[in-house]
């Protein structure tokens, strides 16, 4: 797992193009969430990501994730009859990941096209477009 300095370096050098969802999840959780939430919540986020998000999005590069991918993930979870809480935790994890990534992108470089796409995806997730 890369530390945040390495992630920042990749963002500065290459943008988000080479960053996978798995890589970003681990960095986001350890660098941005782990010290601000309870240990049980960290484990809940990790379990939720591993069991529900990772199989659909984990190997994808962050820049490849589109609203349709997120919709398919949530359609699958709903079709399988997962609890509403599972959907809300998944939504929270994805929203947090994209929100933090947008902050980093805005801070380290200005790439309007990529930023607009990430903002669109974040808006879709955070506003509940999948429910």
């Amino acid at each position: 797992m890369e530390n945040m300095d390495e992630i920042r370096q990749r963002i500065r050098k290459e943008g988000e193009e080479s960053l996978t969802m798995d890589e970003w999840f681990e960095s986001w959780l350890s660098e941005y969430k782990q010290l601000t939430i309870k240990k049980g919540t960290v484990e809940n986020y990790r379990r939720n990501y591993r069991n529900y998000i990772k199989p659909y999005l984990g190997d994808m590069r962050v820049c490849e994730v589109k609203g349709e991918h997120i919709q398919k993930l949530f359609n699958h979870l709903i079709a399988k009859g997962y609890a509403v809480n599972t959907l809300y935790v998944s939504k929270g994890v994805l929203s947090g990941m994209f929100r933090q990534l947008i902050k980093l992108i805005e801070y380290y470089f200005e790439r309007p096209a990529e930023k607009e796409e990430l903002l669109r995806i974040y808006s879709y997730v955070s506003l509940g477009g999948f429910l």
Side-chain angles (χ1 to χ4, degrees):
M1 177 176 69
E2 292 178 292
N3 65 33
M4 268 325 289
D5 290 334
E6 292 167 335
I7 293 290
R8 287 184 185 109
Q9 187 70 14
R10 282 176 64 185
I11 288 173
R12 272 191 229 114
K13 182 179 176 188
E14 306 168 21
E16 77 281 2
E17 287 89 0
S18 66
L19 191 64
T20 68
M21 289 293 286
D22 283 347
E23 292 168 333
W24 178 236
F25 171 75
E26 288 300 328
S27 294
W28 169 77
L29 189 63
S30 65
E31 297 291 331
Y32 293 98
K33 297 307 287 182
Q34 196 161 350
L35 297 177
T36 63
I37 58 178
K38 295 178 181 178
K39 185 177 180 180
T41 304
V42 170
E43 291 308 313
N44 189 28
Y45 283 6
R46 193 175 300 283
R47 184 175 38 256
N48 182 281
Y49 183 84
R50 181 182 59 243
N51 292 334
Y52 309 115
I53 299 170
K54 180 180 174 70
Y56 276 79
L57 305 176
D59 291 334
M60 291 182 74
R61 295 179 321 179
V62 170
C63 66
E64 295 174 331
V65 177
K66 307 287 184 219
E68 63 197 49
H69 299 114
I70 294 167
Q71 184 66 54
K72 286 180 182 180
L73 164 64
F74 283 99
N75 286 348
H76 170 77
L77 296 176
I78 291 167
K80 291 288 187 179
Y82 285 106
V84 171
N85 189 54
T86 299
L87 300 173
Y88 284 123
V89 172
S90 297
K91 174 186 172 186
V93 168
L94 288 169
S95 293
M97 289 172 66
F98 282 114
R99 185 175 36 244
Q100 191 61 52
L101 188 61
I102 289 167
K103 286 179 186 177
L104 286 171
I105 289 169
E106 287 175 339
Y107 182 78
Y108 287 113
F109 61 95
E110 188 62 33
R111 294 181 58 171
E114 287 81 1
K115 186 169 70 173
E116 288 303 315
E117 180 64 15
L118 285 172
L119 287 169
R120 187 184 64 72
I121 293 169
Y122 170 70
S123 295
Y124 182 81
V125 173
S126 67
L127 296 175
F130 57 85
L131 290 177

